[in-house]
């Protein structure tokens, strides 16, 4: 999540976005045609997806079994080339392990928070897995600056430690909202790859302009990257829950957003990780009702569309 009150689409921006061409991505179709296009994308496969760990009654901090991770990974395998994980402990270490067994590539994240003891466990586990060949891209932290968990200098020290401690061919980066990389050029310089979260929904953007706004977000990160690769590490749209300004969750809007982002990313040659794989009920506490409905599959692991 990367919503902040001052970072939202204004009326003037809405008018600007409405004036831009849609680039011919997924024009208006019938519901049946959209469903068929979705099935085609899923059959052909897309770049990457964020791995959802938790079933009903589970939450971060719970230890998740290898059996559960494997079952969910087997569902994802036919559809993606890459999987992204958010932590390296408490069962999350099974995500890259099983992904590699299934022939998938991995973007592996160490979860960095204000808990220094846990941070040490996360970093040690990320370094260990990278040295064992389970990590294709290493991410040190996710939206740490957005949450203001630790000082910037401490975050940079963690990134530098991981870069020193793992094979040099593994890119190391940090994940945050697209605008953070322009605000912190020293952090951007330190990263081998720019890992950018792009959420039109959290900026109250109407779904008609969501793709265009996401393209702008990516463009801002690309400009801040100054020639480094930019990967969209999270983007998505909820299928249910409460509206946020002009941004309305619905099955139809979520389906269209998924299709549009996948078609555009493929056309533009952009690597992206869709958020998310499965609905997770625990996210209601952090984001409201809408937090539980970001998956392509529902909480019972049934494909929604």
């Amino acid at each position: 999540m990367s919503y902040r009150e001052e970072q939202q689409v204004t009326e003037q921006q809405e008018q600007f976005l409405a004036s831009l061409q849609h680039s011919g991505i997924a024009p208006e179709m019938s519901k049946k045609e959209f469903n068929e296009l979705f099935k085609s994308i899923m059959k052909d496969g897309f770049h990457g997806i964020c791995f959802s760990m938790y079933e009903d009654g589970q939450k971060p901090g719970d230890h998740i079994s290898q059996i559960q991770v494997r079952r969910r990974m087997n569902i994802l395998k036919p559809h993606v080339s890459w999987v992204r994980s958010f932590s390296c402990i408490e069962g999350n270490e099974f995500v890259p392990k099983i992904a590699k067994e299934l022939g998938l590539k991995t973007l592996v994240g160490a979860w960095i928070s204000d808990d220094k003891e846990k941070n040490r466990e996360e970093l040690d586990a990320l370094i260990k897995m990278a040295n064992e060949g389970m990590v294709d891209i290493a991410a040190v932290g996710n939206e740490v600056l957005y949450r203001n968990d630790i000082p910037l200098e401490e975050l940079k020290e963690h990134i530098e430690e991981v870069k020193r401690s793992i094979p040099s061919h593994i890119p190391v980066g940090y994940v945050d909202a697209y605008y953070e990389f322009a605000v912190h050029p020293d952090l951007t310089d330190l990263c081998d790859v720019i890992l950018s979260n792009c959420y039109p929904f959290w900026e109250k953007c109407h779904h008609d302009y969501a793709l265009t706004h996401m393209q702008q977000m990516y463009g801002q990160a690309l400009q801040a990257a100054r020639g480094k690769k930019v990967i969209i590490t999270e983007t998505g749209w909820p299928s249910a829950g409460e509206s946020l300004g002009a941004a309305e969750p619905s099955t139809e809007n979520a389906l269209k957003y998924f299709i549009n982002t996948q078609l555009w990313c493929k056309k533009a040659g952009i690597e992206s990780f869709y958020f998310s794989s499965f609905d997770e009920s625990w996210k209601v506490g952090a984001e409201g009702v809408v937090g539980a409905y970001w998956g392509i599959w529902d909480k019972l692991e049934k494909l929604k569309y």
Side-chain angles (χ1 to χ4, degrees):
M1 180 175 121
S2 53
Y3 167 69
R4 60 178 184 174
E5 185 62 30
E6 68 272 22
Q7 189 71 28
Q8 58 180 285
V9 179
T10 65
E11 183 177 352
Q12 185 177 8
Q13 287 172 313
E14 286 272 9
Q15 293 172 351
F16 168 71
L17 294 171
S19 72
L20 298 177
Q21 289 189 347
H22 206 255
S23 304
I25 306 296
E28 286 303 314
M29 301 178 179
S30 68
K31 182 178 179 180
K32 181 179 179 181
E33 288 173 322
F34 266 112
N35 285 333
E36 289 302 315
L37 184 51
F38 171 77
K39 290 177 183 176
S40 176
I41 291 170
M42 294 297 286
K43 181 180 178 181
D44 292 343
F46 55 100
H47 178 78
I49 199 163
C50 298
F51 190 80
S52 307
M53 284 285 288
Y54 304 104
E55 298 178 350
D56 263 6
Q58 299 174 342
K59 62 185 184 303
D62 294 343
H63 288 262
I64 306 304
S65 73
Q66 187 168 181
I67 293 172
Q68 180 171 316
V69 173
R70 187 177 298 278
R71 185 186 71 246
R72 291 196 157 193
M73 193 71 71
N74 278 321
I75 294 171
L76 305 181
K77 180 186 181 298
H79 309 291
V80 296
S81 302
W82 286 72
V83 170
R84 179 189 169 201
S85 62
F86 292 79
S87 170
C88 295
I89 61 176
E90 299 167 342
N92 289 278
E93 66 273 17
F94 299 135
V95 176
K97 176 181 182 293
I98 294 169
K100 283 295 180 183
E101 290 176 6
L102 297 177
L104 299 175
K105 292 191 173 182
T106 60
L107 193 169
V108 181
W111 187 264
I112 302 299
S113 67
D114 57 2
D115 186 330
K116 293 184 183 298
E117 186 175 328
K118 278 284 183 69
N119 290 349
R120 187 67 264 159
E121 292 179 29
E122 290 275 1
L123 292 166
D124 289 344
L126 176 60
I127 290 167
K128 180 176 184 290
M129 285 191 288
N131 285 314
E132 291 175 348
M134 290 191 283
V135 179
D136 291 295
I137 299 175
V140 183
N142 179 73
E143 296 186 343
V144 176
L145 299 178
Y146 166 74
R147 295 191 305 273
N148 197 30
D149 281 342
I150 61 173
L152 173 60
E153 291 305 313
E154 188 174 339
L155 174 61
K156 287 163 62 178
E157 288 172 5
H158 291 328
I159 295 171
E160 288 171 339
E161 178 189 356
V162 172
K163 291 180 72 171
R164 289 193 308 268
S165 304
I166 70 175
S168 60
H169 70 273
I170 301 174
V172 178
Y174 161 70
V175 180
D176 214 324
Y178 66 98
Y179 49 78
E180 294 287 1
F181 298 99
V183 175
H184 303 290
D186 51 340
L187 176 63
T188 304
D189 289 343
L190 187 59
C191 293
D192 299 321
V193 60
I194 306 307
L195 306 175
S196 175
N197 291 349
C198 301
Y199 281 111
F201 180 87
W202 290 120
E203 295 191 3
K204 304 183 180 182
C205 184
H206 191 280
H207 65 270
D208 284 349
Y209 319 131
L211 176 64
T212 304
H213 191 32
M214 192 268 279
Q215 291 167 335
Q216 289 186 321
M217 293 172 168
Y218 174 81
Q220 289 185 43
L222 196 64
Q223 185 174 13
R226 297 189 299 279
K228 294 182 179 180
K229 177 187 278 191
V230 177
I231 297 173
I232 298 174
T233 36
E234 291 177 39
T235 194
W237 198 274
S239 61
E242 64 277 7
S243 295
L244 185 65
E248 299 179 3
S250 73
T251 299
E252 180 181 1
N253 291 346
L255 175 60
K256 288 182 178 180
Y257 187 76
F258 173 81
I259 290 172
N260 282 335
T261 55
Q262 295 309 321
L263 294 181
W264 175 67
C265 285
K266 184 175 182 179
K267 181 179 179 180
I270 293 168
E271 298 175 11
S272 67
F273 290 79
Y274 200 78
F275 188 91
S276 190
S277 46
F278 305 99
D279 285 349
E280 293 183 293
S281 299
W282 74 270
K283 291 177 69 67
V284 168
E287 300 177 6
V289 174
V290 73
Y293 297 101
W294 290 81
I296 298 175
W297 287 263
D298 66 19
K299 66 180 183 179
L300 299 178
E301 301 171 1
K302 180 181 178 182
L303 201 59
K304 290 181 181 179
Y305 313 112

